[in-house]
Every structure is written in structure tokens, then in C-alpha cells.
Amino acid sequence: MVDSQYYLPNDIGISALDCAEAFRLLSPQEKKYAHYLSQAAWYGGLVVLLQTSPESPNLFVLLQKIFRKQTPAQLEKVATSVGLSSEEYQAFLVYAAGLYANMGNYKSFGDTKFIPNLPMDKFKALIWASLAFQEQPAEMKMLWDSCSCLLYSLNDKEKQLGLGDKGITTYFSGNCGLEDAEMAQKFLDSKKLSAYNTRLFKKEEGGKTSYEVRLASAVKQECESCCGTFCFGEKDFTVTRGDYAPLMEKVAFYLQQAQSYAANENQKKMIENYRRSFTLGSVDAHKEGSRYWIKDKGPIVESYIGFIESYRDPFGSRGEFEGFVAVVNKAMSERFARLVSSAEVLLPELPWPKEFEKDTFLKPDFTSLDVLTFAGSGIPAGINIPNYDDIRQSEGFKNVSLGNVLSVAYATKKEKLTFLKEDDKDLFIKWKGPSFEVQVGLHELLGHGSGKLFVQDDEGKFNFDQSKLINPETGELVSSWYRGSETWDSKFSTIASSYEECRAECVGLYLCLNPQVLSIFGHEGQEAEDVIYINWLSMVRAGLLGLEFYTPESKSWRQAHMQARFVILSVLLEAGEGFVGLQEVTGQDGKPDAVITLDRNKINTVGKDAINRFLRKLQVLKATADVEGGRALYEKYSTVSDSGPHNFMRLRETVLLRKEARKMFVQANTRVKGEEVELVEYEGSAAGLITSFVERFQEDAEQLEEQLLELSKRDAPCWC
């Protein structure tokens, strides 16, 4: 029996993201702008298939070909005729929906592989009986043969994403290890090239090792400025362009269409630079586009697109493609605007000296948006971007809370609430949404938006007084900092994402205790106390749930946010004084269970003091580029052991036993009809999710599928 964590259950939650009212209120120009930006995002999102696993593009094409010929309802009759039960056919649909929702066959949240929850012979029989197979048997058989071996395979290396013997990655060729990633990073730093839009391919010929750094771009020919072959560390590095070229071409094309409907000069210049970035493979052009994006304050249609989050690169430097288009929710945005206005009063409350805070707080846009389109491997609840350190530190950033995602993602039924006392469950259900709204706001604005990095630039100039600045943890002068082109991601690499998420989560916990913050969100008195309690309780529970995303075999974490929450749980357990309790019990079903307790009367004392001390350490180590100290601290609290007061290895088994699958979202499509843009909505089901993807790429389906297969085939030898 295969562990259930490698299946998506038939009853997995699937919800439609509602944006009909927000879209209806747009002007005709805004609708066209949103439509073409969405097209750019969806075509770019297909890059994620190529960034996830060797078999993902082929599986995607296989499913597209099947469902283009027969709808899920029509295919059900075929399934019955070849002996699939209704449960087995539902498992087939859920697998297909999962592949679309995650843009590959690894979970976007947790990076674990998932396989179909029906026998392989039944899966194959359904494909052989499909209309797509009847019409093109040779092509469909070839497609099946190209991905069927990996479809069900759960070898240790294939169970999760990772580098070398720790998992699968297509950011690096199969013969790369951590030492190759480290050398490549040093090479890129030496050339002042960002890793965000790159992949690394290692070649070994005649006893000589060389590397290809491939830039994502529509243009394939080399350019004089960055391409060519360079000797570095006695190894040859060749920089080329043209990775994902046909998809990058589509992104640039649809951005050009959107540019005609831009509302202002900032949007036009933003898009112009994005197009240049995706055409030429220039991260500098994307950074320039991001600068115009920051200046575009309070747009009705908000969007961002590119190689953005580095969570899934095992080294932590390469960005996964992502693109979103959303419409402003004015009522909620007013609350966030008030939070921004209070930021300069709230920032000094954070537990580090003022010298460790940015010289001036760059007031960002902070809006609540209803998502129209979110293309990539998954949809977050909030975003703080751009991720470029130099821009965030000195020019600004934007915060986004995704309202229609929040409203459905965290709705929970009482019977599915695990690890809480019975008398906490009703309170949890009532205040989970509002408390998470507060946490997301603080996390994005004052978590990711706070804290200075100490830098010495290429000309030797410091952004701090190195002769006077005292490290509050040591009482001595600050002795380390970032130099030249070093960034937070390149310096802290494998722990950077999770460490930063942990810092932002701690800021949220710490500042939610401030009455002014709660008042901004409309919570006073007992209601405010309940919101605080549920926010802290949610974090402690999330820390326990995080154990699902830990892999004992490699002693590694597969999800940045969940590792961060486990670290916070460890810190709060260490605080003692009965503040947090974690007890193993036997459930009503006779199986292992656990119960979390939190003494709400000690949040403002024991809890606040523990987070105060830990948060200060996190910021000081980050600001001073103290990688050694940062790793030691973070790895201490990330350790999952079977000794000590809590047997976390055993608790992990309990968490897996009682886990609930993460929800999937069905997104609408937009379609131009004459001069109008119409919104096409789908039901919140596996069939609805599948249909939305089939209809998303109707115009050029065959050409697109051919291009994906060609891109996949070209690199196939690199993964062996």
C-alpha cells in the first residue's frame, strides 16, 4: 500500500475563485488589458511544467489531447465501458485536475510527487479507449511511452523535489550536486548575472567538466554583453539564451497586445521592459519593469509576471515563472491603506535597534485583490514583491492580499479540524479568517517590508557606519555585511526563503498584539483578544501540521512556510512556563492523535518575550550577512527528532494519518467576442478545473502541444 501522501484523495476540496462582480465593474479598456495580461500569464505559466519534472510536460499534453476530444462527462461512459468503477474514474479526474492546478506532478505546496489513485492498467485502458487514441494511435502510444514509466514511479529520489540524491529538479541537469550549484552562483556573481531566469546544465566530456547557464528568452542567438564561454575556477561556463523560447515569445506577444490598453505611462513602460526581459533574457530589464510597477500606484487592474519566487529551486536562487492579474477590492484595500499609514509608528515597536531598520520606510501600495488569473504552480494568500533586494531596500515594493483566495482557502468544517481542544474549535472557525487577514497584512507589509541589510558596494561605500554600529547580540562592532553583488538569496541560499518567511511570520505574531493594529481591522475589546488568541493558536497548530512537509530520509524540509511555522512552534515550546502544550493522545477512532493547548493569558508575557528575543536574532543575523550564525540558529529550531520532551518523528506519523489535502482552485477564462471581453466561469469540481484548462489554450492547441513536447524532448537526456 503506497503512503496516502502520494495520492490526491477523491474528496479533495476544489473551489471556484469568484471574481465575476469585480470583473463586471471594469471598463471595456480595463477588461481588454486584463484579458491580454491573463493570456501572457497563462502561456508563461506553462514554463512551470518544464521547471518541475522531466515527465510533467508530456503528462500535460497527454491529458490535453484526451480532454480536447472528449469532455469529462463524455469520457465517463468510455471509462465505464473498460471497467473503471465510478471511484476509479473520479480518481483519474482528480489526478488530471491536480496536474493542472500544480502545473506538474509534484505538489506546489510541499514538493511531494503525487500519482494516480487507480491501478496503472486501468489508467492505460482508459487512454487506449479514448477518442484521442482512436484517431491518433501511434502518436498517443508514443506519448504514453514517454511518460508512463515515471507516472507511477515512487523511487526514493522521485518522491520529492530536490538536488542530487535528495530529489528531482529540472533547474539543474541530473548530474549536478550542491557543489555545482555553489560554483555556478559564484560564477554568476562574478559576471553580475542574476540566477532568477536561469537553469544549469553540467557536461562531462573527455574527462573535462563544463557548464551551460541557460537564460530564458524568446531570442535564441547569443548577445555580446552576457553570452559566450568564460573560464571560471578552472571550468568553462557557457552562457546561452533561448530557454523556453516558444513560450517566452507568446508571453512577449500578449504583453504587447496588453500594452495598447494600459491606463498610464507607468504601465506602458512596465510592460515594455517586461517584453524586453522575456525577449532578450535580461533580468535587468525585468528589474526596470518592476520599478515602473512600483510607481503605478493603486491601479484598478493589478498584475505582476516573471521568474519570481525561488522556493522550488533546491539552491534557492532561481525563480519559478508566475503571472497574476487581479482587480482591486476597494473596501478591504482601505483597511490595508490605514495599516500602511500606521507603519512608521509600528516599525519602531519591532525588537531591534533603529539602525537595523531601513533609513526611511518606503510606503508601498497595499491592496486587497480579487484574483482573475494566477498562473504558476499554486496560489498564495498574500504577496510582497518585487524580490530584488536592491529595489526593496531603497526604492520600494508592493503588498498584495488576495481576498477571494482567502475567503475560500481557509474555510474549515468543524469535523475536519484536527489537533485542537473541542472548546477551541468553534472560536477557531469563527475567527480564523479575520485573524489570518491581520496576519497576512502584518506579514507582508511589516514582515517582508521591514529590516535593513548592511551593504558595502563595489566602490567600497557602506550604507551604515561600520566604525560605530554595535551588534546588539554580541555587544561588539558589526563585523560582517553584504559585499558587491551579494544578495540575501545568493548568500543564505538553501535556507533563505524559509528563514525570511519565519521572520515575517514572527513580525505578524508580535505586532498583532498592538491594539492599534487590531482597531485598523475593526477589532476591539473581547473580539480583539479572540483574534489574537486564534492567530497565535493557528500558528502553533500550523507548526505541528508542518511536519507533513518534512522528509526524514534526507532530513530536509520541502516547504518554506511550513518549516518556518515549525520553527516558531519549537521556539514557543522552548519558552516553557506551560505556555504551549503538545500532548499525544488516542483519538475517538482508536488511532494516534494529538492535542495542542495555548495559555491565552500568557501570550502578552511568555509568548511575546520569546518572539521578541528570537525575532531580534533573526533580523540581526540577516542584516549582518552572518550565514554561519543564521544557519546554526535556524537549523537548531528546524530539527525534527525522536528524543526530548516531544517525539516529533512519531508526531509526524500522526499528522500524516490525519492530514487534509490542500484545496485546489478553478479559475475563470476571458474571451474576446467582437469588441467585448466576456468572463467564462466553471464549476468548482475536478471536471470544471479540467475544462478550464482545455478551453484556455484552444486557439493554438496543437502547435502549443508540439512545442512543449519538443522542449521536453530536447532536454530529456539531461535528467538521466
Side-chain angles (χ1 to χ4, degrees):
M1 177 64 190
V2 175
D3 192 317
S4 65
Q5 70 174 311
Y6 301 109
Y7 290 129
L8 299 177
N10 277 10
D11 64 350
I12 190 169
I14 302 177
S15 300
L17 272 186
D18 179 22
C19 64
E21 182 62 12
F23 187 78
R24 186 184 67 79
L25 294 172
L26 296 178
S27 70
Q29 179 182 337
E30 288 163 348
K31 285 180 180 177
K32 284 193 176 162
Y33 183 62
H35 167 74
Y36 288 114
L37 285 175
S38 293
Q39 291 297 99
W42 285 124
Y43 279 91
L46 295 172
V47 166
V48 179
L49 293 164
L50 296 149
Q51 291 182 303
T52 299
S53 71
E55 65 274 18
S56 286
N58 301 47
L59 286 168
F60 177 88
V61 173
L62 180 73
L63 293 169
Q64 286 287 88
K65 285 185 179 298
I66 289 168
F67 288 115
R68 269 199 297 116
K69 293 293 180 182
Q70 289 168 293
T71 66
Q74 290 166 341
L75 195 63
E76 185 170 12
K77 293 168 187 156
V78 178
T80 305
S81 72
V82 292
L84 271 73
S85 67
S86 58
E87 289 78 15
E88 287 169 335
Y89 183 62
Q90 178 63 16
F92 175 79
L93 293 183
V94 165
Y95 179 79
L99 190 110
Y100 289 132
N102 292 279
M103 268 291 107
N105 59 337
Y106 285 75
K107 294 175 187 173
S108 65
F109 199 87
D111 295 344
T112 311
K113 187 174 185 177
F114 58 93
I115 65 173
N117 191 12
L118 72 159
M120 188 174 186
D121 60 339
K122 296 277 186 85
F123 195 108
K124 182 179 177 181
L126 178 54
I127 291 168
W128 255 243
S130 70
L131 185 57
F133 192 94
Q134 304 307 310
E135 292 185 359
Q136 294 182 303
E139 187 182 344
M140 290 295 285
K141 183 178 184 304
M142 194 182 301
L143 193 47
W144 168 259
D145 290 343
S146 73
C147 58
S148 57
C149 287
L150 290 169
L151 177 63
Y152 279 84
S153 178
L154 283 174
N155 293 335
D156 284 346
K157 184 175 174 175
E158 288 158 3
K159 285 180 177 177
Q160 66 282 313
L161 299 178
L163 185 57
D165 59 1
K166 291 193 172 179
I168 289 292
T169 180
T170 48
Y171 287 101
F172 299 86
S173 55
N175 55 354
C176 283
L178 186 59
E179 65 284 357
D180 299 298
E182 287 169 344
M183 181 179 282
Q185 187 63 56
K186 287 172 184 170
F187 164 73
L188 290 167
D189 287 346
S190 76
K191 290 291 172 190
K192 293 189 166 46
L193 277 174
S194 169
Y196 268 117
N197 67 341
T198 70
R199 291 197 291 173
L200 184 71
F201 296 83
K202 180 180 178 181
K203 298 172 183 178
E204 294 174 281
E205 293 173 313
K208 184 172 170 60
T209 300
S210 62
Y211 298 92
E212 180 192 1
V213 175
R214 204 184 286 168
L215 308 178
S217 70
V219 170
K220 294 180 183 177
Q221 68 263 34
E222 295 185 4
C223 63
E224 291 176 15
S225 58
C226 66
C227 295
T229 299
F230 310 90
C231 186
F232 182 84
E234 299 181 4
K235 300 280 193 295
D236 283 347
F237 278 82
T238 302
V239 180
T240 64
R241 295 198 292 188
D243 212 4
Y244 324 119
L247 299 177
M248 293 294 95
E249 202 175 316
K250 286 278 189 187
V251 175
F253 170 76
Y254 283 114
L255 285 174
Q256 186 171 17
Q257 307 296 104
Q259 200 170 2
S260 307
Y261 301 100
N264 54 53
E265 278 304 303
N266 280 326
Q267 286 182 3
K268 286 176 185 172
K269 288 176 179 173
M270 168 188 87
I271 290 175
E272 186 56 48
N273 279 284
Y274 289 164
R275 281 179 55 219
R276 194 165 143 256
S277 173
F278 302 136
T279 302
L280 303 177
S282 166
V283 170
D284 284 341
H286 194 268
K287 287 173 83 168
E288 194 60 24
S290 298
R291 290 185 171 99
Y292 285 110
W293 179 68
I294 294 165
K295 292 173 188 171
D296 185 29
K297 301 286 186 186
I300 301 299
V301 176
E302 182 62 282
S303 71
Y304 196 65
I305 189 168
F307 295 88
I308 298 168
E309 301 294 355
S310 56
Y311 301 125
R312 294 181 98 185
D313 167 15
F315 189 68
S317 295
R318 287 153 191 80
E320 185 175 69
F321 197 94
E322 181 179 288
F324 78 83
V325 183
V327 183
V328 170
N329 177 320
K330 289 181 180 175
M332 183 54 66
S333 295
E334 281 174 20
R335 294 185 187 181
F336 288 131
R338 289 203 296 276
L339 188 64
V340 172
S341 298
S342 307
E344 285 161 296
V345 178
L346 296 170
L347 280 168
E349 301 285 314
L350 291 170
W352 48 76
K354 67 179 190 310
E355 294 83 4
F356 281 71
E357 191 47 69
K358 292 172 187 170
D359 301 333
T360 53
F361 179 69
L362 302 158
K363 285 190 174 180
D365 243 13
F366 197 168
T367 46
S368 178
L369 307 174
D370 285 344
V371 171
L372 168 65
T373 294
F374 207 113
S377 65
I379 310 180
I383 319 167
N384 175 288
I385 36 182
N387 284 334
Y388 304 116
D389 287 339
D390 49 347
I391 294 180
R392 287 160 72 102
Q393 288 283 314
S394 58
E395 297 177 56
F397 54 92
K398 281 188 186 182
N399 287 290
V400 169
S401 175
L402 304 176
N404 57 345
V405 176
L406 274 170
S407 65
V408 294
Y410 297 96
T412 314
K413 293 178 181 174
K414 188 173 180 179
E415 60 271 20
K416 290 199 171 186
L417 259 186
T418 51
F419 310 129
L420 294 179
K421 296 187 302 179
E422 280 302 313
D423 55 358
D424 275 336
K425 288 184 178 179
D426 287 331
L427 205 62
F428 189 94
I429 288 167
K430 182 176 181 181
W431 294 112
K432 174 64 179 135
S435 72
F436 195 70
E437 184 181 282
V438 172
Q439 179 69 11
V440 167
L442 293 171
H443 173 115
E444 301 296 348
L445 174 67
L446 299 169
H448 293 315
S450 68
K452 183 172 181 172
L453 300 183
F454 299 131
V455 179
Q456 180 184 14
D457 65 22
D458 286 330
E459 294 168 5
K461 188 179 173 187
F462 291 86
N463 69 344
F464 67 103
D465 188 341
Q466 79 277 17
S467 67
K468 291 182 181 174
L469 185 62
I470 299 295
N471 180 322
E473 293 295 308
T474 64
E476 298 171 359
L477 284 173
V478 163
S479 58
S480 57
W481 47 82
Y482 297 85
R483 297 168 194 270
S485 59
E486 288 179 343
T487 66
W488 161 247
D489 276 337
S490 71
K491 195 84 174 159
F492 280 70
S493 66
T494 53
I495 66 163
S497 291
S498 185
Y499 187 112
E500 174 59 12
E501 292 305 330
C502 187
R503 197 182 70 90
E505 292 285 43
C506 287
V507 168
L509 285 180
Y510 193 75
L511 289 180
C512 83
L513 303 176
N514 188 304
Q516 184 181 348
V517 168
L518 294 161
S519 177
I520 287 168
F521 286 89
H523 308 302
E524 309 272 359
Q526 184 59 45
E527 188 178 297
E529 294 300 316
D530 287 345
V531 167
I532 291 170
Y533 176 57
I534 295 306
N535 195 32
W536 280 65
L537 183 63
S538 296
M539 189 63 70
V540 171
R541 178 174 179 263
L544 179 61
L545 296 178
L547 287 167
E548 177 190 340
F549 303 94
Y550 177 75
T551 303
E553 293 79 9
S554 58
K555 295 185 177 177
S556 62
W557 287 87
R558 306 186 312 274
Q559 214 293 320
H561 299 80
M562 298 313 275
Q563 180 182 359
R565 290 157 188 165
F566 177 80
V567 164
I568 292 169
L569 169 63
S570 301
V571 168
L572 295 179
L573 283 167
E574 185 186 74
E577 298 187 46
F579 176 51
V580 172
L582 179 52
Q583 184 184 0
E584 292 186 67
V585 298
T586 301
Q588 290 183 339
D589 55 5
K591 295 176 183 176
D593 206 342
V595 176
I596 291 161
T597 55
L598 176 73
D599 187 339
R600 65 188 295 164
N601 297 315
K602 294 178 179 174
I603 292 175
N604 264 297
T605 53
V606 179
K608 185 178 182 181
D609 289 348
I611 293 297
N612 178 309
R613 291 190 299 272
F614 183 61
L615 182 52
R616 187 174 78 164
K617 285 178 185 172
L618 289 175
Q619 172 56 24
V620 169
L621 292 164
K622 179 185 178 184
T624 57
D626 185 350
V627 179
E628 197 176 313
R631 279 193 183 279
L633 177 75
Y634 205 65
E635 286 167 6
K636 171 191 168 186
Y637 289 108
S638 296
T639 301
V640 178
S641 73
D642 56 4
S643 59
H646 301 288
N647 187 331
F648 283 118
M649 291 297 284
R650 191 168 61 224
L651 278 162
R652 178 180 173 274
E653 297 302 316
T654 304
V655 168
L656 288 173
L657 177 71
R658 300 189 177 277
K659 70 183 177 68
E660 184 182 359
R662 195 170 172 84
K663 279 183 181 168
M664 298 193 288
F665 297 109
V666 182
Q667 299 182 59
N669 282 322
T670 51
R671 192 179 293 152
V672 176
K673 277 206 165 181
E675 287 301 305
E676 298 293 312
V677 179
E678 63 177 24
L679 189 73
V680 185
E681 296 180 282
Y682 304 90
E683 65 175 27
S685 66
L689 207 161
I690 290 164
T691 306
S692 72
F693 267 88
V694 172
E695 294 188 357
R696 203 154 276 154
F697 306 105
Q698 272 179 320
E699 288 180 17
D700 56 354
E702 290 192 13
Q703 181 199 35
L704 183 65
E705 289 160 14
E706 201 175 294
Q707 289 169 339
L708 279 171
L709 292 177
E710 187 55 42
L711 288 169
S712 175
K713 184 180 175 183
R714 181 186 72 165
D715 293 332
C718 300
W719 317 127
C720 302

